């Protein structure tokens, strides 16, 4: 396992990850982090809506936002860079995000075993007290088998 | 019936296809835009593909005369294999189509449909209040 170097900066890591691949396409950005949790932002974009008339964001980008926020929370929980893959992720869509609003995704790793990380999280579009989605899921450490 | 793709689906590069039985299949060609960790498709892109084929299949089953608003309730995605740098395909099966709720299962695969890379259980609400 690789311990985090003292100068480890999750914000910089996320900025690097957001420069290419699917996170670039969706536009996820760093928002905040702490011990075992991470928050990312998904700025509103007309290229990500499900229906031009309503302007409502598709659920796919919110799923991606939560997948990334929860997976990063595992590294922030363990303090190590273990390769990991999503085993399952469930998302409950409480209500649509309001068109034009940035969505904030909060991911939290609440338990890890040798092989599995257990995560949960929620998303909101401005007021953390009024979530738009909740997630729960598991990741497995691909090098642990 | 031609599926009309959302701006999100167009952004993702989804393509409508039909299998030998005429069933809707949505293809997601590999591109940098769907990449997660190096060499693999992002789990979020796979979930987006599974959701899209589920809603499109449901829309077809409802037909032209029945146009309720399809509201996603929840999605449980399970990942079985790493999806590598090639086209991913997905299709959906409607397990139950009720008046207000539909239960759908979707699977995604690459070179062999017998070896799915991901699947999803998707529950949606059908809102006819605006009809």
């Amino acid at each position: 396992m690789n311990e985090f170097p003292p100068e480890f900066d999750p914000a910089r890591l996320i900025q690097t990850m957001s420069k290419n691949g699917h996170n670039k396409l969706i536009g996820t950005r760093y928002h905040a982090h702490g011990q075992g949790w991470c928050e990312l932002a998904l700025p509103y974009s007309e290229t990500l809506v499900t229906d031009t008339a309503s302007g409502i964001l598709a659920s796919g980008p919110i799923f991606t936002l939560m997948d990334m926020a929860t997976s990063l929370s595992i590294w922030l929980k363990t303090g190590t860079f273990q390769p990991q893959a999503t085993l399952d992720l469930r998302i409950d869509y409480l209500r649509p995000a309001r068109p034009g609003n940035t969505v904030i995704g909060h991911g939290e790793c609440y338990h890890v075993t040798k092989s599995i990380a257990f995560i949960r999280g929620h998303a909101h579009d401005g007021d953390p007290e009024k979530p738009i989605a909740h997630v729960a899921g598991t990741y497995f450490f691909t090098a642990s088998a | 019936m031609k599926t009309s793709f959302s701006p999100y689906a167009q952004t993702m590069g989804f393509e409508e296809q039909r299998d030998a039985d005429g069933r809707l299949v949505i293809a997601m060609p590999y591109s940098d835009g769907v990449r997660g960790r190096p060499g693999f498709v992002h789990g979020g892109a796979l979930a987006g593909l599974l959701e899209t084929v589920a809603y499109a299949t449901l829309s077809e089953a409802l037909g032209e005369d029945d146009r309720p608003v399809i509201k996603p309730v929840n999605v449980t995605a399970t990942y079985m294999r790493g999806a590598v740098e090639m086209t991913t395909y997905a299709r959906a099966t409607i397990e139950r189509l009720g008046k207000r709720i539909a239960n759908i299962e979707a699977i995604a695969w690459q070179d062999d449909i017998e070896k799915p890379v991901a699947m999803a259980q998707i529950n949606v609400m059908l809102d006819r209040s605006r009809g």
Side-chain angles (χ1 to χ4, degrees):
Chain A
M1 292 183 206
N2 305 311
E3 295 294 326
F4 283 160
E7 69 277 16
F8 174 71
D9 180 0
R12 185 179 294 173
L13 171 69
I14 294 157
Q15 278 160 11
T16 304
M17 291 174 77
S18 299
K19 275 185 185 143
N20 49 44
H22 189 49
N23 288 302
K24 181 187 178 190
L25 185 75
I26 299 297
T28 42
R29 310 258 172 83
Y30 171 81
H31 187 66
H33 77 278
Q35 170 61 34
W37 64 270
C38 179
E39 284 185 357
L40 303 179
L42 174 69
Y44 182 78
S45 168
E46 288 174 357
T47 63
L48 301 177
V49 305
T50 186
D51 169 32
T52 311
S54 69
I56 291 171
L57 271 186
S59 39
I62 296 170
F63 197 102
T64 293
L65 173 75
M66 299 315 296
D67 183 78
M68 192 183 176
T70 55
S71 65
L72 289 165
S73 75
I74 300 166
W75 287 340
L76 291 162
K77 171 83 170 176
T78 62
T80 57
F81 284 117
Q82 289 187 79
Q84 64 198 27
T86 317
L87 186 55
D88 78 317
L89 187 64
R90 173 198 167 109
I91 185 162
D92 289 302
Y93 297 111
L94 308 186
R95 60 180 177 81
R98 285 168 292 183
N101 285 29
T102 292
V103 177
I104 303 295
H106 177 98
E108 173 196 352
C109 177
Y110 65 92
H111 186 68
V112 286
T113 68
K114 186 164 172 282
S115 308
I116 303 287
F118 297 84
I119 60 83
R120 61 192 167 208
H122 57 268
H124 67 81
D125 63 353
D127 182 353
E129 298 301 314
K130 294 179 182 170
I132 61 162
H134 276 265
V135 299
T138 51
Y139 290 75
F140 71 98
F141 298 117
T142 52
S144 69
Chain B
M1 186 168 116
K2 182 75 179 167
T3 304
S4 60
F5 277 149
S6 65
Y8 166 71
Q10 291 172 33
T11 297
M12 295 290 289
F14 293 163
E15 296 170 2
E16 178 184 344
Q17 299 183 356
R18 297 282 156 181
D19 69 12
D21 300 322
R23 285 180 59 168
L24 175 67
V25 171
I26 295 182
M28 177 171 73
Y30 184 82
S31 70
D32 186 66
V34 303
R35 185 175 63 74
R37 63 197 157 104
F40 294 91
V41 178
H42 197 288
L46 291 170
L49 174 67
L50 290 163
E51 282 192 74
T52 300
V53 76
Y55 305 145
T57 301
L58 177 61
S59 185
E60 280 197 357
L62 288 164
E64 296 282 0
D65 299 330
D66 190 12
R67 301 274 89 186
V69 178
I70 297 173
K71 294 183 171 176
V73 178
N74 51 38
V75 175
T76 305
T78 303
Y79 298 94
M80 290 107 105
R81 290 174 180 82
V84 297
E85 296 179 346
M86 61 171 79
T87 299
T88 308
Y89 304 91
R91 76 176 187 199
T93 304
I94 300 168
E95 304 292 354
R96 178 175 179 274
L97 177 49
K99 278 191 164 51
R100 299 179 60 209
I101 298 286
N103 315 103
I104 309 163
E105 193 168 85
I107 64 162
W109 70 96
Q110 293 192 313
D111 52 346
D112 184 355
I113 196 169
E114 298 299 320
K115 292 180 178 170
V117 293
M119 59 184 284
Q121 184 65 48
I122 296 164
N123 299 315
V124 304
M125 206 172 75
L126 305 170
D127 183 358
R128 294 185 168 85
S129 62
R130 290 185 231 173

